[in-house]
Amino acid sequence: MADLVRVTPLDDGAFWRVTFGASKGNIIDRAMMAALSRVFAEARAAAGLKAICLEGAGGHFSFGASVQEHLPDQVRAMLAELRQLVLDMIDSRIVILAAVKGQCLGGGLELASVCHRVFASAEAKFGQPEIALGVFAPIASIVLPARVGRAHGEDLCLTGRVVTAAEAKQMGLVDDVTEGDPGDAALAWARAHFATRSAASLRIAVQAVRADLAARIRTELPVLEAMYLDELMATHDANEGLRAFLEKRPPVWRHA
């Protein structure tokens, strides 16, 4: 896990700076999902922990999940692992702050959207581009409309377009845009608001405000995953879009 995710405890363990990434785009493959899940399981057991700052290594948050792992022989296991990661984030009962630099796309945006607040550098870009590959994002289909409202959520999921940090802030996708390091801004916000709070009480408050989202992930996400596996992956175009991306060529759609 140490090579994929690095945890830096701060302020006597009240805050953790969690940095993930082992490649240029910090691809969130199944190994990365499992490593992050272990961190959030450890966070739940860390009694004095109040908030986590989650950031990608290097110049980007994440280019998204592994496209290779979206192929028919791997996609079922990938979706299950990603669902478990999101549940581990929610069940940690810790305030999670995303610190975004560079690209935050696909599965990366799904993880950021699950966080309580998103801090972004001015040049950051956000997008849910799965539709360009002929597929859709099950988690984003729940969390983006919940975070930014139905109109903006549908915009991002259905067009696949990439938006700037400024537009993301207007949507409510991003909470703070900074000219400096978004990780430093996130930690400064956490210290200002949580340094004098009870970690035990804060955890129960986090659980309370996330009760509806947690219930929706547990009940609605398996339905969307079944739609993905049984309907979407039975189409020519979903398989064509994924193969075309991996083969670096334009897709040839049959519209079926």
Side-chain angles (χ1 to χ4, degrees), residues 33-89:
M33 294 173 197
L36 284 168
S37 281
R38 288 192 290 272
V39 168
F40 286 105
E42 292 169 4
R44 178 166 184 149
L49 179 60
K50 300 175 183 180
I52 285 174
C53 172
L54 180 66
E55 60 187 356
H60 298 284
F61 188 79
S62 174
F63 289 178
S66 164
V67 175
Q68 184 72 39
E69 291 181 356
H70 282 71
L71 294 177
D73 61 334
Q74 300 183 61
V75 64
R76 185 178 300 273
M78 182 277 294
L79 290 176
E81 195 87 53
L82 185 55
R83 176 180 4 117
Q84 187 58 54
L85 170 55
V86 170
L87 287 172
D88 286 335
M89 292 173 71

Side-chain angles (χ1 to χ4, degrees), residues 12-34:
D12 296 322
F15 308 108
W16 287 1
R17 193 162 192 163
V18 175
T19 306
F20 69 93
S23 63
K24 176 184 176 182
N26 301 328
I27 297 299
I28 304 170
D29 57 13
R30 289 178 60 201
M32 181 67 74
M33 294 173 197

